[in-house]
């Protein structure tokens, strides 16, 4: 062996040994920290239990006092318990893999720093320098900067200039150093390859090791900014969104704790990402779909299921498609605005308010309140306000009448002689009560007759203008918009930041109502315009947010690099794009195969064989992706008796691993180690690029880009 090469190898081995020793020491320090926190938790638990026991003893005879009792001191202790408990979970998770990177840099007047970066930070008590720096800390951004040399990080008051001297990345599993790499130019190389080559279930959690500079820049964008990320399949959009939430919570916990809302495309996807934030130490983030978000605010019995909706979209039903296009357009918003204006002008048939032949409020007075004094309020809130005023006026007149009856009674009684009083007072008292009862009866009658001031049901009113069609996903934004305009509703919970994933499928009204209901000015919006299968015309709303949400500080970003799939898979997917092609990260894999099969039995034997091959390669997540539910169920029935497969045919289904047969729209946002893509093979005339349906191309792009390592395409002849 060459002497120089030998020297390099010896130096590498020496450094590896040094790092191994450091890891042992750090694991011991973390273990000590864990023990300290266990002790702290024990003490606080003991204190809280004894305190509560004492309170229950003190108020044993008064249950209400026990329920109402609030003590600030115990509240502080309980908050401390929560903090300690979270810290304990972080340290326990950190112990098996304390850090994944190191950065050496020099700073003026300070000298050279060596900083280790991990999932969470560790600074032992009575120590000033952190042992491990949290990846979300401002200084940790240096680790994700592209090249060595001059760089800066944002400290609380100013930018700090530094000179990056070296970067190192580590693979640490179960407290053991498995490998380390010095990265001179970029955080890709061996580690990125290693993580990207791993199975889908591990990849989401290992991502902080491989966050790229362009992704890190987006994660660390200012809290007050609304970022819109249009990224190709596999560019890490969901990863960016979730890690941005973790980053924001780390740096602005007091402002954002329990006030972040994530809206995903469907429940299958929400279940898929549900473990990511907890793995980053974050809980209390609300995660839901737009559909469920709307249901929580509306009184709706039934809306077309996502499955039925997507099936109609894919089948290209003409009337249904036209309705979708219309409801996704600005013209539909204008239509709803006009409908609200018409209701404003015509809904309440205002009348004079008469009481016992006297005028309380004239029609003109009430109209003045409706269309002048309270004009800025939503119509149904306005009517409630005016109803309260009318009730108050009725009460005043009632009280005046009752006072008059009382005075007349007292005056008449006072004018009676003592002798007359003895036989007339009872009659007078009876008449007084009778007259008061008559007034009360008239009040009740008047209030009953105020039906013209009753508010309508927003869903009923919407159904009326919608021609009583079956409500779909597209109507939810419209109904909420209607409800906001008529009732002025907003969410009861406070929301400070909203994340929208698969935002390419959102229409103008959805963006507007989310903004209005949450009162948020800070959003993280991610999507892929190439994956928009739902019909629309004009500019995609996701790209028009500067106009739709002018109050928000909107900035758009484009991501063209895919980190998910192999070069072979991305080159195959690129042929379905009419826009600029995806740039795949250099990770080669198996060739994408296309198999044209005429015979059902051949389809079955091909798939069963492929599944067996995938399993020998220890792939954990395998999907057979079909265009629609009909094809999905057909393939499932075909291979179910010969291979252990599951079918994912409803939105409430949960998928973690194994072989699954799934329709294209439920696969959105998911990724699998290996994919078999099932296509119908059209006739030669319709398969040409000129006449190919644009929607069909986008669908195939979505299906193909779900695969991480292997993609095989089965083309069946149309029968």
């Amino acid at each position: 062996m060459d002497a120089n090469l030998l020297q390099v190898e010896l130096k590498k081995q020496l450094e590896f040994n040094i790092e191994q020793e450091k890891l042992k020491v750090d694991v011991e320090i973390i273990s000590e920290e864990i023990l300290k926190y266990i002790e702290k938790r024990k003490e606080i638990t003991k204190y809280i239990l004894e305190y509560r026991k004492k309170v229950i003893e003190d108020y044993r005879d008064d249950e209400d006092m026990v329920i109402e009792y609030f003590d600030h001191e115990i509240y502080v202790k309980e908050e401390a318990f929560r903090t300690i408990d979270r810290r304990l979970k972080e340290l326990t998770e950190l112990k098996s893999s304390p850090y994944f990177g190191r950065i050496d840099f020099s700073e003026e007047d300070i000298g050279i720093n060596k900083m280790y970066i991990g999932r969470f930070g560790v600074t032992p008590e009575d120590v000033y320098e952190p042992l491990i720096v949290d990846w979300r800390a401002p200084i940790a951004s240096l680790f994700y900067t592209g090249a060595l040399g001059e760089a800066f990080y944002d400290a609380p008051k100013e930018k700090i200039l530094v000179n990056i001297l070296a970067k190192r990345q580590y693979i640490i599993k179960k407290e053991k150093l498995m490998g380390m790499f010095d990265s001179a130019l970029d955080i890709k190389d061996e580690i990125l390859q290693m993580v990207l080559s791993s199975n889908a279930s591990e990849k989401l959690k290992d991502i902080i090791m491989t966050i790229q500079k362009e992704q890190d820049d987006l994660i660390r964008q200012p809290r007050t900014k609304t970022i819109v990320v249009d990224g190709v399949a596999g560019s890490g959009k969901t990863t960016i969104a979730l890690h941005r939430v973790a980053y924001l919570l780390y740096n602005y916990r007091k402002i954002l704790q329990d006030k972040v809302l994530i809206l995903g495309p469907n429940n299958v996807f929400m279940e898929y990402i549900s473990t990511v934030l907890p793995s980053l130490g974050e809980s209390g983030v609300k995660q839901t779909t737009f559909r469920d978000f709307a249901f929580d605010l509306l009184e709706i019995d039934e809306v077309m299921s996502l499955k039925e909706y997507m099936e109609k979209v894919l089948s290209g039903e003409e009337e249904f498609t036209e309705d979708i296009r219309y409801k996704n357009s600005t013209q539909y918003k204008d239509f709803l605005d006009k409908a609200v204006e018409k209701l404003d002008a015509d809904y309440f048939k205002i009348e004079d308010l008469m009481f016992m032949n006297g005028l309380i409020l004239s029609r003109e007075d009430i109209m003045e309140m409706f269309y002048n004094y309270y004009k800025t309020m939503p119509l149904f809130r306005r009517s409630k306000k005016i109803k309260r005023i009318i009730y108050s006026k009725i009460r005043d007149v009632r009280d005046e009448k009752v006072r008059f009856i009382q005075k007349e009674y007292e005056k008449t009684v006072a004018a009676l002689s003592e002798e007359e009083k003895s036989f007339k007072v009872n009659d007078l008292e009876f008449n007084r009560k009778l007259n008061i009862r008559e007034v009360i009866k008239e009040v009740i009658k008047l209030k009953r007759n105020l039906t013209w001031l009753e508010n309508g049901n927003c869903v009923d009113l919407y159904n009326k203008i919608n021609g009583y069609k079956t409500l779909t996903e597209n109507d939810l934004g419209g109904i909420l918009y209607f409800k906001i305009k008529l009732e002025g509703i907003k969410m009861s919970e406070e929301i400070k930041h909203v994340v929208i994933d698969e935002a390419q499928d959102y229409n103008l009204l959805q963006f507007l109502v989310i903004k209005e209901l949450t009162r948020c000015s800070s959003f993280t919006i991610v999507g892929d315009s190439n994956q928009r299968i739902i019909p629309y015309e004009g500019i995609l709303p996701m790209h028009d947010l500067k106009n739709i949400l002018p109050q928000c500080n909107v900035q758009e970003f484009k991501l063209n690099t895919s980190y998910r799939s192999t070069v072979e898979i991305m080159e195959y997917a690129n042929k379905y794009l009419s826009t600029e092609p995806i740039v795949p990260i250099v990770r080669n894999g198996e060739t994408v195969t296309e198999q044209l099969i005429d015979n059902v039995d051949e389809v079955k034997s091909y798939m069963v064989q492929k599944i067996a091959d995938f399993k020998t390669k220890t792939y954990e997540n395998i999907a057979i992706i079909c265009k629609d539910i009909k094809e999905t169920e057909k393939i499932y029935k075909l291979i179910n008796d010969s291979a252990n497969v599951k079918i994912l045919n409803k939105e409430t289904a949960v998928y973690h691993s194994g072989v699954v047969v799934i329709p294209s729209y439920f696969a959105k946002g998911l990724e699998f180690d290996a994919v078999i893509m099932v296509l119908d093979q059209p006739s030669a005339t319709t398969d040409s690029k000129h006449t190919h349906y644009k929607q069909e191309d986008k669908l195939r792009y979505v299906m193909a880009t779900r695969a991480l390592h292997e993609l095989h395409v089965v083309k069946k002849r149309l029968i």
Side-chain angles (χ1 to χ4, degrees), residues 30-45:
I30 291 168
S31 299
E32 284 166 22
E33 287 292 296
I34 288 171
L35 290 172
K36 282 181 197 169
Y37 273 94
I38 288 170
E39 204 50 49
K40 281 181 187 176
R41 192 171 67 170
K42 267 188 203 164
E43 285 169 22
I44 287 190
T45 306

Side-chain angles (χ1 to χ4, degrees), residues 234-293:
S235 57
K237 300 179 295 292
T238 302
T239 296
I240 288 166
L242 296 174
H243 285 73
R244 178 158 167 74
V245 168
Y247 167 78
L248 291 174
L249 282 167
Y250 175 82
N251 287 285
Y252 306 99
R253 195 167 298 284
K254 282 186 180 172
I255 299 168
L256 296 176
Q257 184 72 56
D258 300 325
K259 296 185 179 87
V260 176
L261 171 69
I262 296 175
L263 295 172
N266 56 53
N267 288 318
V268 177
F269 176 81
M270 298 314 289
E271 178 65 31
Y272 179 67
I273 65 162
S274 61
T275 56
V276 180
L277 281 171
S279 79
L280 295 169
E282 298 303 346
S283 56
V285 175
K286 298 164 193 71
Q287 300 184 49
T288 187
T289 61
F290 181 80
R291 174 184 280 251
D292 289 340
F293 170 78

